[in-house]
Amino acid sequence: MQTKTTFKFLSASLTALILAGCGGGSGSALDNTLNGGGTTNSTTNWRIGNGIGTSFVSGSMGVVNTEGNALYVGGTANLTVTIVNESGALISDAIPIEFSSPCLSSGKSKLVGGTKVSAATGSVTVQYQPSSCIGDDLVTATAVYKDKTQSTSATVKVSNLRLGLGSGVDFVPTKLDLGANSSAMFTDQITTLSVNIVNDSGNLIQASVPVTFTSSCINAGTSTITGGNVINSTAGVAKAEYKAGSCFGDDVVKASITYAGSVISSSATIPQVNNKRIGSGAGTSFTPGQLTTSTSNTLFEGDTTQISANIVNNQSNLISQATQVVFDSPCLSAGLSSIAGGNIVTSINGTARIQYKVGKCDIDDKVTATISNGDGTIDASVSLPIDTRRLGSGFGSNFVIGALELGIGIGSLSPGGSTSITAYIVNSKGDLVTDPMNVTFSSPCISAGNAVITGGNTVTSVNGKAVATYTSQGCAGVGGVDAIKASTTFRSVVLNASADLTVKSDTAQTISFIDSDTPLISIKGTGGDETAILRFRVLGQGGSPLKGVCVNFAPSTTIGGLALVPSKCNPAGPETYGSSTDANGYASTTVQAGTVATAVRVTATTANGLSTQSSSLAVSTGIPDQNSMSLSLSDIAPNAWKYDGISSTATIRLADAFNNPVPDDTVVAFTTNGGSIEPNCPTTNGACSVTWRSQSPRPTSPNAVSFATTAPFAKICPAIKDLDNHDVTECRSGRVTILATAIGNESFIDGNGNGIYDDVAVDTFSKHKSSDAADANKDACNPSVPLSSAAIGATKGCDDLPEAYLDGNSNNYRTRDEEFIDFNQNGTHDAGNSKYDGALCSGTAKTSGACTTNKVTVRDSITLVMACETPFLQSGVLPGQSNIDRTTDSFNAIGAVVTRQMLLADCNGNGMPAGTTVTVDTSGAVGLTATVSPSGGLAKSFEPSIITLTAKATTNTPSGNIVLEIKSGSITSLVTINVSD
């Protein structure tokens, strides 16, 4: 409904009344007095304007708005005109005046009483009332008096009204404030509408103006304005409460007034009232039309997943209003899946959730959630991958259930050949499944070991394909066919597929020696491992292993009773030493050692005449013997005299009488008289190592060592004896003895080459007795580690071992205070028994008493020096050190040369630590040059080094000090040689 707005303004004619009271009309004495006492109507030089006297303004008109500063339609403005003489006095004659203007002419404004009036007293005021005039109206007043016509004018401003937001310079026309709650409205929600009414200057209209609020929904009654849709403004502002009902969609709200016959309005759109959206997420993450599930995995029968639908407003924010959501799908409709609690759910805070459970549904199920929205519905959906499985060949429309795909197709597999076998796993639509499944392949040949699946019979599928690599290993199949079967389990149901693979039989093409479980076996009766297993391999066409091939074996020698262990093929034949190959093509035989050391090879031959020979197998004792034992050190002179924890690696190497490495895990024991050493080690490839470390005890000699003062600087020790009255020739401290021992055999020289000790006339076994005064080498057997006859000859050598002892004073005699290895445990240190003791003692020689098969302690020892960093000084100088006398040493001419040889030993008279350097400094001397040799770091050595200083004169009077800087480890020692007369 359109409402016409009428403004009522007070009309005032106070000015006219005042003028009339002051004698407006015919002249009077008062008028004459006011106008200077003359007659005001006697002049012809009259003027028309506004004001009187000196305030008169010609050509103007007085305009006074009765309602204030602004004139509005329906209001009143008083227009005043005065007619004066040349003195500015009012003319008292009645003078006709006519008012005119565009709006007066068009009827949009009027003058109360008409446009023609009479100025009876020289002044007239009329009431100007606009009805529909808007803007500037130029009003003209015209008077005719004494044959003269004059006019005056003024502009009457009729203000327009505007609707919008703000005021003043910030006013925005035609806009409407929808309030803070208008962005997303639903039923029963309220927002406050607001509009401002201003004049042309943007000032708020203080008068109350009725404003009408309308919209499609307001007009239809689906939204309302509280208290009605006409609201009177207050101080230029009209506010209305908009309440949403069943309105749906955008609602354009208009606020309007009627002014000057025109409708003035402002409008704005309340967006998407009661409009909902359904999907997943919220805010910027909202995705319309899409549901979310708690899992993206493929679902199986009995599986459940939570499905969620979010209902949001047009701002994508979750709505708090409860909304009924209906869930449906093909499998739900068919009763093949279910929803706990039913398929109609009411949302809570904008979210509706269901628990979907898979039943017998065997297709991907599309679940849809539907809600009402306005007069229609909207929905969102999600597809659930629901799986069934089938095993076969191919996929999609080419899938063949129960079949397998053979890589070679319908062809025949060559002997030893390989082919792929592929089992495809698809769902009910024939699509390859992506989750892995274990597929097991089997066949008669696989079960018999005549064919293999690479990596094992069970293959895990990848993207729906389980690919096995089948290799024939002598498979002949049944009638040339191997029936391949693949199986897997899904939902407790076994799925099977099969294919017939045509195979061709194979024949032996190559035979080769593979390995022996040991490179050495012990001579029969010596107590070691006396057998070895040798393996050979038979391959067919294409290099594939053959199973069931009969291989015959023959040794290259049977000396000393060496033989193969009798064996038969399967099925057995006439062979004495035979073996059938296994699934990998291997056949083996066992070699039994005889009583003679030898090397043997075994020949292997197949039924079709293929032959090969093994590598050499040694038949030996496998027991370490004395002269095949060797001990070494990684550092023979570590800087250990003053430091703990300095290490050196001791490595022992052992071999038997034939100098073959002893068997692995032969144990060697260690002991020492200085520092500490690991107790034992097992051999690998005939050797093993332990670590020696410096600590107490540090061997200390009770006697001081000295050296001669000239080269070669002989060592000088006091004449001393050990406890058993043997000379002791070593008097230096820091010399450590390390002893390594093992259980083994004594050594001999096999004169007749038969590998055993059997003939004392030709087999050399050197023995000596210290009590035999006639024997010039009677002491040859006294050392803990005597030199063997094989090393230095039978005359000076010794093979008859005493019990091993730790020779701490290094005088090659066992003293009562030196520890020994009591091998026979009789509490006494025993000398040799003058007989060969070892496994190679022949039966005849043993019977005659020439030898025994007893074992002994084999041993080797080595000296380690615990070196120190400070040099040995004798009377405060190095042995051999002396000053240079220019006269005595003829060092008084240019080019003269003098040398000094000096002994450089460590503090105990032993060799200096490896890397010790000696440099010469001549900065304290003049007229000479000097060098020292050797240059660079000293090598490792038990013994001291001789250094040579060479001085050369560059003037006739060289002088000063030559300084030798000896740097060892962290210590630098200085040796000074003075040059003077």
Side-chain angles (χ1 to χ4, degrees):
M1 175 178 179
Q2 190 82 6
T3 302
K4 182 175 180 180
T5 303
T6 304
F7 293 94
K8 296 181 179 180
F9 298 98
L10 294 176
S11 246
S13 56
L14 183 58
T15 303
L17 291 175
I18 291 173
L19 289 174
C22 290
S26 61
S28 66
L30 178 61
D31 291 332
N32 293 332
T33 300
L34 291 171
N35 290 298
T39 302
T40 60
N41 54 4
S42 61
T43 182
T44 60
N45 190 20
W46 57 277
R47 294 174 294 168
I48 186 170
N50 184 32
I52 60 175
T54 58
S55 300
F56 177 80
V57 179
S58 180
S60 68
M61 185 182 298
V63 180
V64 178
N65 297 325
T66 62
E67 297 298 323
N69 294 328
L71 176 63
Y72 301 98
V73 172
T76 300
N78 291 328
L79 309 180
T80 301
V81 177
T82 59
I83 301 174
V84 299
N85 60 20
E86 61 273 17
S87 299
L90 294 171
I91 297 176
S92 59
D93 290 344
I95 301 173
I97 300 175
E98 183 173 1
F99 289 86
S100 63
S101 76
C103 284
L104 290 172
S105 299
S106 64
K108 293 182 178 180
S109 294
K110 69 177 183 178
L111 294 180
V112 176
T115 58
K116 295 179 180 182
V117 297
S118 176
T121 61
S123 176
V124 65
T125 297
V126 297
Q127 292 179 320
Y128 178 93
Q129 294 181 339
S131 57
S132 61
C133 180
I134 300 295
D136 293 343
D137 190 20
L138 181 62
V139 179
T140 302
T142 303
V144 179
Y145 179 54
K146 291 188 177 183
D147 299 323
K148 186 178 179 179
T149 301
Q150 293 190 70
S151 299
T152 188
S153 63
T155 298
V156 178
K157 292 183 178 290
V158 182
S159 183
N160 194 15
L161 294 185
R162 294 183 293 170
L163 268 66
L165 298 177
S167 62
V169 296
D170 297 325
F171 179 76
V172 180
T174 72
K175 297 296 182 182
L176 186 66
D177 186 354
L178 296 175
N181 299 326
S182 64
S183 60
M185 297 191 68
F186 290 89
T187 301
D188 294 331
Q189 288 186 329
I190 294 173
T191 189
T192 299
L193 311 178
S194 177
V195 68
N196 290 355
I197 309 164
V198 301
N199 58 23
D200 285 333
S201 299
N203 299 320
L204 293 170
I205 301 300
Q206 299 302 307
S208 178
V209 179
V211 182
T212 301
F213 290 88
T214 59
S215 74
S216 298
C217 289
I218 292 172
N219 297 342
T222 55
S223 289
T224 59
I225 298 296
T226 303
N229 65 331
V230 179
I231 303 296
N232 291 320
S233 66
T234 300
V237 179
K239 294 184 178 181
E241 281 191 349
Y242 177 100
K243 183 177 183 181
S246 59
C247 177
F248 179 79
D250 292 343
D251 192 18
V252 180
V253 179
K254 179 188 291 185
S256 60
I257 63 174
T258 300
Y259 180 68
S262 300
V263 176
I264 301 171
S265 62
S266 288
S267 64
T269 301
I270 298 177
Q272 298 294 303
V273 180
N274 278 319
N275 188 36
K276 303 171 184 175
R277 294 190 293 168
I278 186 170
S280 63
T284 57
S285 300
F286 178 74
T287 303
Q290 177 178 295
L291 301 178
T292 57
T293 62
S294 58
T295 177
S296 59
N297 297 332
T298 300
L299 300 174
F300 302 97
E301 183 178 358
D303 287 348
T304 61
T305 185
Q306 179 176 272
I307 301 176
S308 301
N310 285 356
I311 300 99
V312 301
N313 57 26
N314 62 300
Q315 302 294 311
S316 298
N317 298 321
L318 293 169
I319 65 172
S320 59
Q321 289 79 8
T323 303
Q324 190 178 77
V325 184
V326 179
F327 291 87
D328 201 3
S329 75
C331 285
L332 290 171
S333 298
L336 301 177
S337 292
S338 60
I339 296 174
N343 67 328
I344 300 176
V345 179
T346 300
S347 68
I348 299 175
N349 294 324
T351 300
R353 296 183 177 90
I354 62 168
Q355 291 293 328
Y356 177 101
K357 183 176 183 180
V358 180
K360 297 297 182 182
C361 183
D362 60 357
I363 61 171
D364 288 347
D365 199 15
K366 183 178 182 180
V367 178
T368 301
T370 304
I371 62 172
S372 297
N373 196 37
D375 295 332
T377 61
I378 56 175
D379 58 50
S381 62
V382 66
S383 291
L384 301 179
I386 299 176
D387 208 0
T388 57
R389 303 293 166 86
R390 292 181 292 170
L391 190 67
S393 173
F395 58 92
S397 59
N398 296 321
F399 178 75
V400 178
I401 191 169
L404 294 175
E405 180 180 275
L406 300 178
I408 63 170
I410 60 175
S412 297
L413 185 65
S414 62
S418 297
T419 183
S420 62
I421 304 173
T422 304
Y424 290 75
I425 308 168
V426 301
N427 59 22
S428 57
K429 296 186 294 185
D431 297 329
L432 293 169
V433 301
T434 57
D435 55 306
M437 294 182 66
N438 290 331
V439 179
T440 300
F441 293 85
S442 61
S443 76
C445 281
I446 293 173
S447 299
N450 295 326
V452 294
I453 299 295
T454 301
N457 296 353
T458 300
V459 177
T460 301
S461 66
V462 177
N463 294 326
K465 297 180 182 180
V467 182
T469 300
Y470 173 104
T471 301
S472 172
Q473 294 185 346
C475 175
V478 178
V481 173
D482 194 18
I484 311 296
K485 180 181 178 182
S487 62
T488 189
T489 301
F490 180 70
R491 295 181 182 174
S492 302
V493 176
V494 178
L495 308 177
N496 293 309
S498 61
D500 288 338
L501 176 64
T502 302
V503 293
K504 292 183 177 181
S505 59
D506 204 352
T507 58
Q509 298 296 309
T510 63
I511 183 171
S512 59
F513 172 68
I514 301 301
D515 57 28
S516 172
D517 64 348
T518 176
L520 178 147
I521 54 176
S522 297
I523 294 174
K524 188 174 183 180
T526 59
D529 291 332
E530 299 177 359
T531 60
I533 299 175
L534 279 60
R535 288 196 310 164
F536 297 82
R537 196 178 197 192
V538 178
L539 301 178
Q541 299 178 37
S544 60
L546 285 185
K547 180 184 178 183
V549 176
C550 183
V551 179
N552 283 281
F553 304 101
S556 60
T557 181
T558 58
I559 186 173
L562 183 147
L564 302 180
V565 176
S567 59
K568 290 287 187 179
C569 293
N570 184 20
E575 68 280 346
T576 302
Y577 308 104
S579 174
S580 294
T581 56
D582 61 15
N584 294 312
Y586 294 115
S588 60
T589 186
T590 301
V591 179
Q592 172 69 58
T595 59
V596 175
T598 187
V600 63
R601 295 178 183 269
V602 175
T603 300
T605 305
T606 63
N608 62 347
L610 299 176
S611 295
T612 192
Q613 195 173 56
S614 71
S615 61
S616 179
L617 173 67
V619 182
S620 185
T621 65
I623 302 172
D625 80 327
Q626 175 58 33
N627 70 1
S628 300
M629 196 170 184
S630 178
L631 180 60
S632 61
L633 293 170
S634 62
D635 190 348
I636 59 176
N639 186 11
W641 182 248
K642 294 182 179 180
Y643 301 103
D644 284 348
I646 305 301
S647 64
S648 178
T649 301
T651 300
I652 187 71
R653 290 174 172 81
L654 304 94
D656 65 10
F658 303 98
N659 288 326
N660 301 127
V662 296
D664 288 352
D665 296 322
T666 297
V667 176
V668 183
F670 292 84
T671 187
T672 183
N673 67 333
S676 68
I677 194 165
E678 293 173 339
N680 56 63
C681 62
T683 61
T684 300
N685 296 324
C688 65
S689 299
V690 295
T691 300
W692 175 93
R693 291 180 177 85
S694 63
Q695 65 178 67
S696 292
R698 287 178 167 84
T700 303
S701 173
N703 300 289
V705 68
S706 62
F707 295 91
T709 58
T710 58
F713 305 105
K715 178 185 69 175
I716 302 171
C717 284
I720 56 173
K721 301 284 187 177
D722 64 17
L723 293 178
D724 293 324
N725 203 35
H726 300 124
D727 291 334
V728 176
T729 58
E730 184 56 72
C731 59
R732 288 176 290 182
S733 298
R735 299 181 77 84
V736 175
T737 300
I738 297 174
L739 177 65
T741 59
I743 297 175
N745 296 333
E746 291 179 325
S747 301
F748 71 96
I749 298 175
D750 186 11
N752 56 15
N754 64 357
I756 58 175
Y757 185 83
D758 61 343
D759 189 343
V760 296
V762 294
D763 292 334
T764 301
F765 179 77
S766 183
K767 50 189 179 294
H768 300 275
K769 288 289 187 179
S770 60
S771 59
D772 187 356
D775 187 352
N777 298 295
K778 62 179 181 178
D779 292 326
C781 291
N782 286 332
S784 179
V785 186
L787 296 173
S788 69
S789 58
I792 62 171
T795 301
K796 294 183 178 182
C798 175
D799 301 309
D800 191 22
L801 297 177
E803 287 183 316
Y805 61 92
L806 189 64
D807 191 6
N809 59 18
S810 302
N811 69 346
N812 289 326
Y813 290 94
R814 194 264 163 175
T815 308
R816 282 172 287 166
D817 60 352
E818 291 178 331
E819 296 177 358
F820 70 100
I821 308 298
D822 191 10
F823 188 73
N824 59 10
Q825 308 221 339
N826 64 356
T828 301
H829 180 260
D830 296 315
N833 61 1
S834 300
K835 298 179 181 180
Y836 166 73
D837 297 306
L840 297 180
C841 174
S842 71
T844 301
K846 181 178 180 180
T847 300
S848 68
C851 60
T852 76
T853 55
N854 298 331
K855 291 183 173 62
V856 296
T857 300
V858 293
R859 78 296 301 261
D860 196 13
S861 66
I862 195 169
T863 298
L864 176 146
V865 169
M866 300 174 78
C868 69
E869 299 163 314
T870 56
F872 178 87
L873 298 179
Q874 192 165 279
S875 299
V877 296
L878 299 180
Q881 177 186 344
S882 65
N883 293 328
I884 298 174
D885 185 283
R886 283 198 300 264
T887 302
T888 304
D889 292 316
S890 300
F891 196 56
N892 51 10
I894 296 175
V897 175
V898 173
T899 61
R900 289 287 188 268
Q901 284 189 314
M902 293 162 278
L903 184 72
L904 181 57
D906 77 349
C907 61
N908 292 316
N910 300 307
M912 291 289 287
T916 297
T917 60
V918 182
T919 58
V920 62
D921 179 8
T922 59
S923 61
V926 294
L928 60 84
T929 61
T931 59
V932 67
S933 64
S935 60
L938 299 181
K940 299 174 183 178
S941 176
F942 296 123
E943 299 301 332
S945 302
I946 296 176
I947 60 174
T948 301
L949 171 69
T950 301
K952 184 176 182 180
T954 58
T955 68
N956 294 329
T957 57
S959 63
N961 293 323
I962 301 173
V963 178
L964 298 181
E965 294 183 354
I966 304 170
K967 185 174 180 59
S968 181
S970 62
I971 304 297
T972 298
S973 302
L974 303 179
V975 173
T976 302
I977 298 174
N978 179 259
V979 180
S980 64
D981 286 328

